[in-house]
Amino acid sequence: MDYIYKRWSALIDITTVCPHSCVYCTRYERHLRSDQRRHMPLEQIEAAIIAYKDWPTEVSIIGGEPLLHPQLAEINALLRKHLPQAKLNMFTSGLPSTPATVSTDAPDPDSLYNWKPEYPWTQWPETNSDMTRTYRTIRYNPHNEEQMTSCSHHPLTIAVEEAVPNKALMWKLINNCWLQRCWSPTVNIHGAYFCEVGAALDMLLFDGVNAWPVEAGWWKRKPHEFQEQVSKLCLRCGMCLPGERQLLGHRGELFSPGLLGDFRKRKLVRLNDHVTVVDQQYDVETIERYAKTWYPGNYREDIVEDEDLPSFFKGLNVPLRLKDNDGYLFRVDTEAEYAAALKQVASLPTVEGQHLSPRRRYFLYQGLPFDALYDQYPFVLPEHRHERHLYYRGLMLYMRSLLDDEAFSQLPGEDCSFEELAALPDKIHFLFNSVLRVEVEKNAKVLAGREAYFWGCGAAWRQYRQFFSNVNARCFLVDVGSTPPTVDGIEVRNPELMSEEFSTDGNLPLVIFARRQHMPGIEQALIRYGLKQREIIWAPLEA
């Protein structure tokens, strides 16, 4: 699992009231009892907003249907009071009264942005409104008839603990859940959660008893500190389990038998008709077969086909099997195997390729390749403390190539406390990023005194801009969302409108400032704009 703060957005679920009843909604809306359909009180919403004050990326309002909250105007005022517009989004399916055309009114003069929809299909009628003074982007997803017959959701009601009898394999899937990688932590009426679907499950099944208090920095918890929520909630979820999706308007739902029983004990609704019990058992071969064409995060198939999505959106992006002779797979069970692994790993590269990608190292656990940096479970659970030496050795596979002999000898030993063990991943990430900064600085020197395009003007730019002070930036290229006209005195332009300039600019080089998860999508954009063959320097935000 990854750190909460690296997600592209944090959420506030301001209501569970929704006019729709889509199958496999991430909030299980169709199954909520009437007493579970409610609006979050204003004071709780303000507490959630304040807790996100130093959250590093975006903050999004969601539901249910957020437009149905009776105090939306007050919520917008609180958002403007505590957070900058640059960080704010809303997810909505609109209301029946939402017009089908965009207003031609002039942009609101109080908006920091020349406000525009995020996507061509976004329609919002109030260009000059309270909404566009508050939000940078309104992500409109209408849930209309076309989507009901073209868009799919993943069957999250097949609990992974029931479907995968091999518990090492189950944990491998949970550790690498696409939802935790791509989507968001949230605050709902019960409290804070590392995962939005876990939050919904906790409300459904446990009345929110696993929520964390909403307080400053709650989202700074590290993966080993999720264990109460992971062990109670992730096992009952099916988001990490590859399979076939179902259309949004499909009337039937697939349930694993135990989870269906839990829902019925809680007297949740819509559980008698159109429910199919699935007791299929998944092994590695079954999961690999489904995973080949599994893009569960594509909820807009009316806009983009699965095969056109960046690889980042593929549901399972880690190997479940590696060849025995793979140079990055190690056996560490015995002392002799561990010593040989440390000797071999010392000479391996830390990052590789033009993307400066970190080279992952795997250790075998019950026949499966585990990466100690991201596969923390089950080793950090109290009942698996007898296996923590394997987790420790997996972390040392990284440390050995990041430290010299003397520094490596100063690390805590295998018998270290859990607190010392849990601190090691942070140290590895710090060392990785130190290597990354050295590589980016070295590459920046190649462009000194030359003119170049800069792609992206966000957090990655802010981290590396001092390295590129001697590069003459023609402009920033940004092709998504709403942006200010300039950043740090450099013009921001949309590459979609620059084809003529690109054809006559003498093939200027590009510097790509981006979060690593956005890089596959940028690769596709470079091809689309005819820029892929240029000299390119990548400056990823983190390793």
Side-chain angles (χ1 to χ4, degrees), residues 51-80:
Y52 285 140
K53 269 202 165 183
D54 57 344
W55 169 262
T57 56
E58 301 178 23
V59 175
S60 301
I61 300 301
I62 197 168
E65 174 47 65
L67 298 184
L68 291 174
H69 197 293
Q71 295 174 291
L72 184 59
E74 292 92 332
I75 294 168
N76 288 344
L78 288 171
L79 288 165
R80 292 194 299 271

PDB file of all heavy atoms in Angstrom, residues 51-80:
ATOM      1  N   ALA A  51      -9.039  20.121   8.637  1.00  0.00           N
ATOM      2  CA  ALA A  51      -8.047  19.039   8.730  1.00  0.00           C
ATOM      3  C   ALA A  51      -7.252  18.873   7.439  1.00  0.00           C
ATOM      4  O   ALA A  51      -6.154  18.313   7.440  1.00  0.00           O
ATOM      5  CB  ALA A  51      -8.740  17.722   9.087  1.00  0.00           C
ATOM      6  N   TYR A  52      -7.799  19.365   6.311  1.00  0.00           N
ATOM      7  CA  TYR A  52      -7.116  19.283   5.024  1.00  0.00           C
ATOM      8  C   TYR A  52      -6.327  20.549   4.694  1.00  0.00           C
ATOM      9  O   TYR A  52      -5.874  20.714   3.558  1.00  0.00           O
ATOM     10  CB  TYR A  52      -8.133  19.042   3.909  1.00  0.00           C
ATOM     11  CG  TYR A  52      -8.701  17.639   3.826  1.00  0.00           C
ATOM     12  CD1 TYR A  52     -10.048  17.431   3.538  1.00  0.00           C
ATOM     13  CD2 TYR A  52      -7.892  16.521   3.990  1.00  0.00           C
ATOM     14  CE1 TYR A  52     -10.589  16.156   3.424  1.00  0.00           C
ATOM     15  CE2 TYR A  52      -8.415  15.241   3.887  1.00  0.00           C
ATOM     16  CZ  TYR A  52      -9.768  15.064   3.603  1.00  0.00           C
ATOM     17  OH  TYR A  52     -10.282  13.799   3.484  1.00  0.00           O
ATOM     18  N   LYS A  53      -6.154  21.451   5.653  1.00  0.00           N
ATOM     19  CA  LYS A  53      -5.540  22.747   5.331  1.00  0.00           C
ATOM     20  C   LYS A  53      -4.143  22.616   4.732  1.00  0.00           C
ATOM     21  O   LYS A  53      -3.762  23.378   3.845  1.00  0.00           O
ATOM     22  CB  LYS A  53      -5.496  23.643   6.573  1.00  0.00           C
ATOM     23  CG  LYS A  53      -6.732  24.531   6.706  1.00  0.00           C
ATOM     24  CD  LYS A  53      -6.462  25.748   7.564  1.00  0.00           C
ATOM     25  CE  LYS A  53      -7.569  26.775   7.381  1.00  0.00           C
ATOM     26  NZ  LYS A  53      -7.317  28.008   8.140  1.00  0.00           N
ATOM     27  N   ASP A  54      -3.344  21.665   5.206  1.00  0.00           N
ATOM     28  CA  ASP A  54      -2.018  21.485   4.617  1.00  0.00           C
ATOM     29  C   ASP A  54      -1.918  20.212   3.790  1.00  0.00           C
ATOM     30  O   ASP A  54      -0.821  19.726   3.493  1.00  0.00           O
ATOM     31  CB  ASP A  54      -0.928  21.521   5.687  1.00  0.00           C
ATOM     32  CG  ASP A  54      -1.122  20.471   6.778  1.00  0.00           C
ATOM     33  OD1 ASP A  54      -2.238  19.920   6.882  1.00  0.00           O
ATOM     34  OD2 ASP A  54      -0.159  20.206   7.526  1.00  0.00           O
ATOM     35  N   TRP A  55      -3.073  19.669   3.386  1.00  0.00           N
ATOM     36  CA  TRP A  55      -3.095  18.541   2.437  1.00  0.00           C
ATOM     37  C   TRP A  55      -2.428  18.994   1.143  1.00  0.00           C
ATOM     38  O   TRP A  55      -2.727  20.072   0.625  1.00  0.00           O
ATOM     39  CB  TRP A  55      -4.534  18.107   2.207  1.00  0.00           C
ATOM     40  CG  TRP A  55      -4.735  17.152   1.070  1.00  0.00           C
ATOM     41  CD1 TRP A  55      -5.142  17.457  -0.201  1.00  0.00           C
ATOM     42  CD2 TRP A  55      -4.538  15.734   1.094  1.00  0.00           C
ATOM     43  NE1 TRP A  55      -5.202  16.329  -0.969  1.00  0.00           N
ATOM     44  CE2 TRP A  55      -4.842  15.251  -0.206  1.00  0.00           C
ATOM     45  CE3 TRP A  55      -4.138  14.833   2.075  1.00  0.00           C
ATOM     46  CZ2 TRP A  55      -4.754  13.895  -0.533  1.00  0.00           C
ATOM     47  CZ3 TRP A  55      -4.054  13.486   1.748  1.00  0.00           C
ATOM     48  CH2 TRP A  55      -4.357  13.019   0.459  1.00  0.00           C
ATOM     49  N   PRO A  56      -1.502  18.208   0.561  1.00  0.00           N
ATOM     50  CA  PRO A  56      -0.665  18.723  -0.522  1.00  0.00           C
ATOM     51  C   PRO A  56      -1.315  18.806  -1.896  1.00  0.00           C
ATOM     52  O   PRO A  56      -0.801  19.523  -2.766  1.00  0.00           O
ATOM     53  CB  PRO A  56       0.507  17.737  -0.545  1.00  0.00           C
ATOM     54  CG  PRO A  56      -0.049  16.474   0.021  1.00  0.00           C
ATOM     55  CD  PRO A  56      -1.059  16.890   1.039  1.00  0.00           C
ATOM     56  N   THR A  57      -2.400  18.083  -2.137  1.00  0.00           N
ATOM     57  CA  THR A  57      -2.970  18.098  -3.491  1.00  0.00           C
ATOM     58  C   THR A  57      -4.402  18.659  -3.444  1.00  0.00           C
ATOM     59  O   THR A  57      -4.656  19.646  -2.786  1.00  0.00           O
ATOM     60  CB  THR A  57      -2.910  16.697  -4.123  1.00  0.00           C
ATOM     61  OG1 THR A  57      -3.574  15.739  -3.272  1.00  0.00           O
ATOM     62  CG2 THR A  57      -1.471  16.252  -4.307  1.00  0.00           C
ATOM     63  N   GLU A  58      -5.329  18.030  -4.154  1.00  0.00           N
ATOM     64  CA  GLU A  58      -6.670  18.590  -4.291  1.00  0.00           C
ATOM     65  C   GLU A  58      -7.622  18.039  -3.230  1.00  0.00           C
ATOM     66  O   GLU A  58      -7.392  16.983  -2.639  1.00  0.00           O
ATOM     67  CB  GLU A  58      -7.213  18.306  -5.692  1.00  0.00           C
ATOM     68  CG  GLU A  58      -6.333  18.895  -6.786  1.00  0.00           C
ATOM     69  CD  GLU A  58      -6.825  18.575  -8.189  1.00  0.00           C
ATOM     70  OE1 GLU A  58      -8.029  18.291  -8.349  1.00  0.00           O
ATOM     71  OE2 GLU A  58      -6.008  18.619  -9.120  1.00  0.00           O
ATOM     72  N   VAL A  59      -8.707  18.761  -3.006  1.00  0.00           N
ATOM     73  CA  VAL A  59      -9.760  18.353  -2.075  1.00  0.00           C
ATOM     74  C   VAL A  59     -11.074  18.382  -2.844  1.00  0.00           C
ATOM     75  O   VAL A  59     -11.393  19.384  -3.495  1.00  0.00           O
ATOM     76  CB  VAL A  59      -9.841  19.285  -0.854  1.00  0.00           C
ATOM     77  CG1 VAL A  59     -11.024  18.905   0.040  1.00  0.00           C
ATOM     78  CG2 VAL A  59      -8.541  19.240  -0.050  1.00  0.00           C
ATOM     79  N   SER A  60     -11.826  17.286  -2.787  1.00  0.00           N
ATOM     80  CA  SER A  60     -13.042  17.167  -3.587  1.00  0.00           C
ATOM     81  C   SER A  60     -14.257  16.900  -2.711  1.00  0.00           C
ATOM     82  O   SER A  60     -14.198  16.099  -1.771  1.00  0.00           O
ATOM     83  CB  SER A  60     -12.900  16.036  -4.617  1.00  0.00           C
ATOM     84  OG  SER A  60     -11.811  16.266  -5.485  1.00  0.00           O
ATOM     85  N   ILE A  61     -15.342  17.573  -3.041  1.00  0.00           N
ATOM     86  CA  ILE A  61     -16.631  17.369  -2.384  1.00  0.00           C
ATOM     87  C   ILE A  61     -17.396  16.329  -3.183  1.00  0.00           C
ATOM     88  O   ILE A  61     -17.466  16.382  -4.412  1.00  0.00           O
ATOM     89  CB  ILE A  61     -17.415  18.694  -2.313  1.00  0.00           C
ATOM     90  CG1 ILE A  61     -16.630  19.735  -1.524  1.00  0.00           C
ATOM     91  CG2 ILE A  61     -18.795  18.474  -1.708  1.00  0.00           C
ATOM     92  CD1 ILE A  61     -16.304  19.352  -0.101  1.00  0.00           C
ATOM     93  N   ILE A  62     -18.000  15.376  -2.458  1.00  0.00           N
ATOM     94  CA  ILE A  62     -18.646  14.247  -3.124  1.00  0.00           C
ATOM     95  C   ILE A  62     -19.814  13.796  -2.269  1.00  0.00           C
ATOM     96  O   ILE A  62     -20.030  14.278  -1.160  1.00  0.00           O
ATOM     97  CB  ILE A  62     -17.605  13.115  -3.366  1.00  0.00           C
ATOM     98  CG1 ILE A  62     -18.085  12.106  -4.406  1.00  0.00           C
ATOM     99  CG2 ILE A  62     -17.191  12.438  -2.063  1.00  0.00           C
ATOM    100  CD1 ILE A  62     -17.000  11.139  -4.886  1.00  0.00           C
ATOM    101  N   GLY A  63     -20.590  12.844  -2.774  1.00  0.00           N
ATOM    102  CA  GLY A  63     -21.713  12.290  -2.025  1.00  0.00           C
ATOM    103  C   GLY A  63     -21.741  10.783  -2.191  1.00  0.00           C
ATOM    104  O   GLY A  63     -20.687  10.169  -2.341  1.00  0.00           O
ATOM    105  N   GLY A  64     -22.965  10.243  -2.252  1.00  0.00           N
ATOM    106  CA  GLY A  64     -24.227  10.839  -2.616  1.00  0.00           C
ATOM    107  C   GLY A  64     -24.147  11.889  -3.695  1.00  0.00           C
ATOM    108  O   GLY A  64     -23.226  11.964  -4.465  1.00  0.00           O
ATOM    109  N   GLU A  65     -25.195  12.694  -3.717  1.00  0.00           N
ATOM    110  CA  GLU A  65     -25.241  13.831  -4.629  1.00  0.00           C
ATOM    111  C   GLU A  65     -25.059  15.110  -3.824  1.00  0.00           C
ATOM    112  O   GLU A  65     -25.970  15.535  -3.107  1.00  0.00           O
ATOM    113  CB  GLU A  65     -26.573  13.868  -5.394  1.00  0.00           C
ATOM    114  CG  GLU A  65     -26.768  15.105  -6.257  1.00  0.00           C
ATOM    115  CD  GLU A  65     -25.543  15.427  -7.095  1.00  0.00           C
ATOM    116  OE1 GLU A  65     -25.193  14.607  -7.976  1.00  0.00           O
ATOM    117  OE2 GLU A  65     -24.929  16.502  -6.870  1.00  0.00           O
ATOM    118  N   PRO A  66     -23.876  15.742  -3.905  1.00  0.00           N
ATOM    119  CA  PRO A  66     -23.593  16.895  -3.049  1.00  0.00           C
ATOM    120  C   PRO A  66     -24.540  18.074  -3.275  1.00  0.00           C
ATOM    121  O   PRO A  66     -24.758  18.872  -2.362  1.00  0.00           O
ATOM    122  CB  PRO A  66     -22.145  17.256  -3.379  1.00  0.00           C
ATOM    123  CG  PRO A  66     -21.838  16.558  -4.659  1.00  0.00           C
ATOM    124  CD  PRO A  66     -22.706  15.351  -4.714  1.00  0.00           C
ATOM    125  N   LEU A  67     -25.104  18.201  -4.472  1.00  0.00           N
ATOM    126  CA  LEU A  67     -26.013  19.315  -4.726  1.00  0.00           C
ATOM    127  C   LEU A  67     -27.291  19.216  -3.904  1.00  0.00           C
ATOM    128  O   LEU A  67     -28.028  20.202  -3.761  1.00  0.00           O
ATOM    129  CB  LEU A  67     -26.377  19.391  -6.214  1.00  0.00           C
ATOM    130  CG  LEU A  67     -25.224  19.644  -7.191  1.00  0.00           C
ATOM    131  CD1 LEU A  67     -25.766  19.786  -8.606  1.00  0.00           C
ATOM    132  CD2 LEU A  67     -24.432  20.883  -6.808  1.00  0.00           C
ATOM    133  N   LEU A  68     -27.558  18.040  -3.336  1.00  0.00           N
ATOM    134  CA  LEU A  68     -28.761  17.857  -2.527  1.00  0.00           C
ATOM    135  C   LEU A  68     -28.562  18.280  -1.071  1.00  0.00           C
ATOM    136  O   LEU A  68     -29.529  18.313  -0.306  1.00  0.00           O
ATOM    137  CB  LEU A  68     -29.212  16.391  -2.573  1.00  0.00           C
ATOM    138  CG  LEU A  68     -29.762  15.914  -3.919  1.00  0.00           C
ATOM    139  CD1 LEU A  68     -30.039  14.419  -3.875  1.00  0.00           C
ATOM    140  CD2 LEU A  68     -31.024  16.683  -4.297  1.00  0.00           C
ATOM    141  N   HIS A  69     -27.344  18.595  -0.682  1.00  0.00           N
ATOM    142  CA  HIS A  69     -27.132  19.029   0.703  1.00  0.00           C
ATOM    143  C   HIS A  69     -27.822  20.376   0.903  1.00  0.00           C
ATOM    144  O   HIS A  69     -27.579  21.332   0.147  1.00  0.00           O
ATOM    145  CB  HIS A  69     -25.646  19.148   1.018  1.00  0.00           C
ATOM    146  CG  HIS A  69     -25.354  19.181   2.489  1.00  0.00           C
ATOM    147  ND1 HIS A  69     -25.747  20.228   3.305  1.00  0.00           N
ATOM    148  CD2 HIS A  69     -24.724  18.282   3.301  1.00  0.00           C
ATOM    149  CE1 HIS A  69     -25.361  19.987   4.549  1.00  0.00           C
ATOM    150  NE2 HIS A  69     -24.743  18.807   4.568  1.00  0.00           N
ATOM    151  N   PRO A  70     -28.707  20.500   1.900  1.00  0.00           N
ATOM    152  CA  PRO A  70     -29.483  21.738   2.050  1.00  0.00           C
ATOM    153  C   PRO A  70     -28.643  22.953   2.433  1.00  0.00           C
ATOM    154  O   PRO A  70     -29.117  24.084   2.334  1.00  0.00           O
ATOM    155  CB  PRO A  70     -30.481  21.388   3.159  1.00  0.00           C
ATOM    156  CG  PRO A  70     -29.840  20.271   3.922  1.00  0.00           C
ATOM    157  CD  PRO A  70     -29.069  19.480   2.906  1.00  0.00           C
ATOM    158  N   GLN A  71     -27.403  22.751   2.867  1.00  0.00           N
ATOM    159  CA  GLN A  71     -26.551  23.876   3.268  1.00  0.00           C
ATOM    160  C   GLN A  71     -25.357  24.042   2.332  1.00  0.00           C
ATOM    161  O   GLN A  71     -24.280  24.458   2.742  1.00  0.00           O
ATOM    162  CB  GLN A  71     -26.068  23.671   4.710  1.00  0.00           C
ATOM    163  CG  GLN A  71     -27.188  23.700   5.745  1.00  0.00           C
ATOM    164  CD  GLN A  71     -26.690  23.346   7.130  1.00  0.00           C
ATOM    165  OE1 GLN A  71     -26.322  22.192   7.394  1.00  0.00           O
ATOM    166  NE2 GLN A  71     -26.661  24.334   8.012  1.00  0.00           N
ATOM    167  N   LEU A  72     -25.581  23.764   1.055  1.00  0.00           N
ATOM    168  CA  LEU A  72     -24.469  23.807   0.102  1.00  0.00           C
ATOM    169  C   LEU A  72     -23.845  25.197   0.024  1.00  0.00           C
ATOM    170  O   LEU A  72     -22.617  25.323  -0.067  1.00  0.00           O
ATOM    171  CB  LEU A  72     -24.942  23.364  -1.282  1.00  0.00           C
ATOM    172  CG  LEU A  72     -23.848  23.270  -2.349  1.00  0.00           C
ATOM    173  CD1 LEU A  72     -22.761  22.287  -1.946  1.00  0.00           C
ATOM    174  CD2 LEU A  72     -24.445  22.866  -3.702  1.00  0.00           C
ATOM    175  N   ALA A  73     -24.639  26.227   0.070  1.00  0.00           N
ATOM    176  CA  ALA A  73     -24.084  27.579   0.004  1.00  0.00           C
ATOM    177  C   ALA A  73     -23.158  27.844   1.183  1.00  0.00           C
ATOM    178  O   ALA A  73     -22.083  28.444   1.034  1.00  0.00           O
ATOM    179  CB  ALA A  73     -25.202  28.618  -0.038  1.00  0.00           C
ATOM    180  N   GLU A  74     -23.552  27.388   2.360  1.00  0.00           N
ATOM    181  CA  GLU A  74     -22.701  27.556   3.541  1.00  0.00           C
ATOM    182  C   GLU A  74     -21.427  26.719   3.425  1.00  0.00           C
ATOM    183  O   GLU A  74     -20.341  27.156   3.838  1.00  0.00           O
ATOM    184  CB  GLU A  74     -23.467  27.171   4.803  1.00  0.00           C
ATOM    185  CG  GLU A  74     -24.608  28.119   5.167  1.00  0.00           C
ATOM    186  CD  GLU A  74     -25.934  27.667   4.575  1.00  0.00           C
ATOM    187  OE1 GLU A  74     -25.938  27.001   3.505  1.00  0.00           O
ATOM    188  OE2 GLU A  74     -26.972  27.987   5.178  1.00  0.00           O
ATOM    189  N   ILE A  75     -21.557  25.521   2.856  1.00  0.00           N
ATOM    190  CA  ILE A  75     -20.377  24.670   2.648  1.00  0.00           C
ATOM    191  C   ILE A  75     -19.397  25.351   1.702  1.00  0.00           C
ATOM    192  O   ILE A  75     -18.182  25.394   1.951  1.00  0.00           O
ATOM    193  CB  ILE A  75     -20.802  23.292   2.101  1.00  0.00           C
ATOM    194  CG1 ILE A  75     -21.627  22.534   3.145  1.00  0.00           C
ATOM    195  CG2 ILE A  75     -19.582  22.465   1.681  1.00  0.00           C
ATOM    196  CD1 ILE A  75     -22.324  21.303   2.605  1.00  0.00           C
ATOM    197  N   ASN A  76     -19.911  25.910   0.612  1.00  0.00           N
ATOM    198  CA  ASN A  76     -19.039  26.611  -0.332  1.00  0.00           C
ATOM    199  C   ASN A  76     -18.334  27.786   0.340  1.00  0.00           C
ATOM    200  O   ASN A  76     -17.147  28.039   0.089  1.00  0.00           O
ATOM    201  CB  ASN A  76     -19.852  27.094  -1.531  1.00  0.00           C
ATOM    202  CG  ASN A  76     -20.278  25.955  -2.441  1.00  0.00           C
ATOM    203  OD1 ASN A  76     -19.746  24.848  -2.356  1.00  0.00           O
ATOM    204  ND2 ASN A  76     -21.238  26.215  -3.308  1.00  0.00           N
ATOM    205  N   ALA A  77     -19.049  28.497   1.190  1.00  0.00           N
ATOM    206  CA  ALA A  77     -18.428  29.626   1.897  1.00  0.00           C
ATOM    207  C   ALA A  77     -17.308  29.155   2.813  1.00  0.00           C
ATOM    208  O   ALA A  77     -16.245  29.787   2.916  1.00  0.00           O
ATOM    209  CB  ALA A  77     -19.491  30.388   2.694  1.00  0.00           C
ATOM    210  N   LEU A  78     -17.508  28.009   3.480  1.00  0.00           N
ATOM    211  CA  LEU A  78     -16.468  27.463   4.348  1.00  0.00           C
ATOM    212  C   LEU A  78     -15.253  27.011   3.539  1.00  0.00           C
ATOM    213  O   LEU A  78     -14.103  27.192   3.959  1.00  0.00           O
ATOM    214  CB  LEU A  78     -17.023  26.278   5.143  1.00  0.00           C
ATOM    215  CG  LEU A  78     -18.008  26.622   6.260  1.00  0.00           C
ATOM    216  CD1 LEU A  78     -18.649  25.357   6.821  1.00  0.00           C
ATOM    217  CD2 LEU A  78     -17.313  27.402   7.364  1.00  0.00           C
ATOM    218  N   LEU A  79     -15.503  26.432   2.395  1.00  0.00           N
ATOM    219  CA  LEU A  79     -14.394  26.023   1.537  1.00  0.00           C
ATOM    220  C   LEU A  79     -13.565  27.233   1.110  1.00  0.00           C
ATOM    221  O   LEU A  79     -12.331  27.211   1.161  1.00  0.00           O
ATOM    222  CB  LEU A  79     -14.922  25.285   0.308  1.00  0.00           C
ATOM    223  CG  LEU A  79     -15.469  23.878   0.565  1.00  0.00           C
ATOM    224  CD1 LEU A  79     -16.285  23.393  -0.630  1.00  0.00           C
ATOM    225  CD2 LEU A  79     -14.345  22.893   0.858  1.00  0.00           C
ATOM    226  N   ARG A  80     -14.253  28.308   0.703  1.00  0.00           N
ATOM    227  CA  ARG A  80     -13.525  29.514   0.294  1.00  0.00           C
ATOM    228  C   ARG A  80     -12.772  30.144   1.463  1.00  0.00           C
ATOM    229  O   ARG A  80     -11.693  30.713   1.289  1.00  0.00           O
ATOM    230  CB  ARG A  80     -14.501  30.534  -0.313  1.00  0.00           C
ATOM    231  CG  ARG A  80     -15.100  30.116  -1.639  1.00  0.00           C
ATOM    232  CD  ARG A  80     -15.760  31.289  -2.344  1.00  0.00           C
ATOM    233  NE  ARG A  80     -16.852  31.856  -1.577  1.00  0.00           N
ATOM    234  CZ  ARG A  80     -18.118  31.462  -1.650  1.00  0.00           C
ATOM    235  NH1 ARG A  80     -18.459  30.458  -2.459  1.00  0.00           N
ATOM    236  NH2 ARG A  80     -19.060  32.037  -0.928  1.00  0.00           N
TER     237      ARG A  80
END
